[in-house]
Amino acid sequence: KQILLNKEMIAISQLSLVDLAGSERASKTNATGSQLKEAGGINSSLMTLHTCLETLRANQLAGRNIKMVPYRESKITLLFKNFFEGSGKVKMVVCVNPRTEDFDETLHVMKFAELTQDVQVQ
């Protein structure tokens, strides 16, 4: 009880895990109907995440906020509001397929992951 009464001993954290499985190309998965709609939503969210990270990186390189980060445009990016406002941390785990048939998709994922490494928040 004494620890809970001491507000200096209380820490509040948020952990958000986002699984972006289903973002593969529709032509490869033969997705139709609701699966195709869900994949489209995931891809749209990924594009918003990419835009947010690019904006953060551009602001960082400029040394000031030239442009507002559009994190409110997607439910997934809204989850990372604290990060985009400069007070949180984000870690990304990227899974890629080593098959040669998936080279283009793997390359795209790796470029996306590389962009995220360049972003710093303070």
Side-chain angles (χ1 to χ4, degrees):
K1 285 186 175 183
Q2 289 179 346
I3 293 175
L4 293 177
L5 295 176
N6 185 351
K7 292 182 180 180
E8 292 177 7
M9 300 295 288
I10 297 174
I12 298 174
S13 299
Q14 174 183 342
L15 174 65
S16 299
L17 301 173
V18 179
D19 179 5
L20 298 173
S23 63
E24 302 86 4
R25 296 191 198 295
S27 60
K28 285 188 175 184
T29 62
N30 296 322
T32 58
S34 62
Q35 285 181 326
L36 183 61
K37 184 177 178 180
E38 181 181 358
I42 291 170
N43 285 331
S44 176
S45 293
L46 273 175
M47 289 302 297
T48 302
L49 179 59
H50 188 269
T51 301
C52 289
L53 291 169
E54 280 186 328
T55 304
L56 266 179
R57 185 169 180 240
N59 288 347
Q60 175 187 336
L61 292 173
R64 60 188 173 90
N65 290 340
I66 327 173
K67 197 173 174 187
M68 188 172 150
V69 179
Y71 66 83
R72 292 177 183 89
E73 293 180 12
S74 164
K75 289 180 184 178
I76 288 175
T77 52
L78 192 56
L79 278 174
F80 300 114
K81 175 182 187 266
N82 292 340
F83 171 74
F84 290 123
E85 290 181 344
S87 63
K89 293 181 182 179
V90 171
K91 300 293 181 192
M92 182 179 287
V93 176
V94 178
C95 299
V96 295
N97 192 335
R99 293 178 10 175
T100 55
E101 297 86 10
D102 296 321
F103 175 78
D104 289 340
E105 194 171 311
T106 298
L107 183 62
H108 183 72
V109 168
M110 296 304 285
K111 285 181 179 180
F112 182 77
E114 182 181 29
L115 169 70
T116 64
Q117 288 182 350
D118 293 338
V119 176
Q120 303 281 326
V121 291
Q122 299 165 0

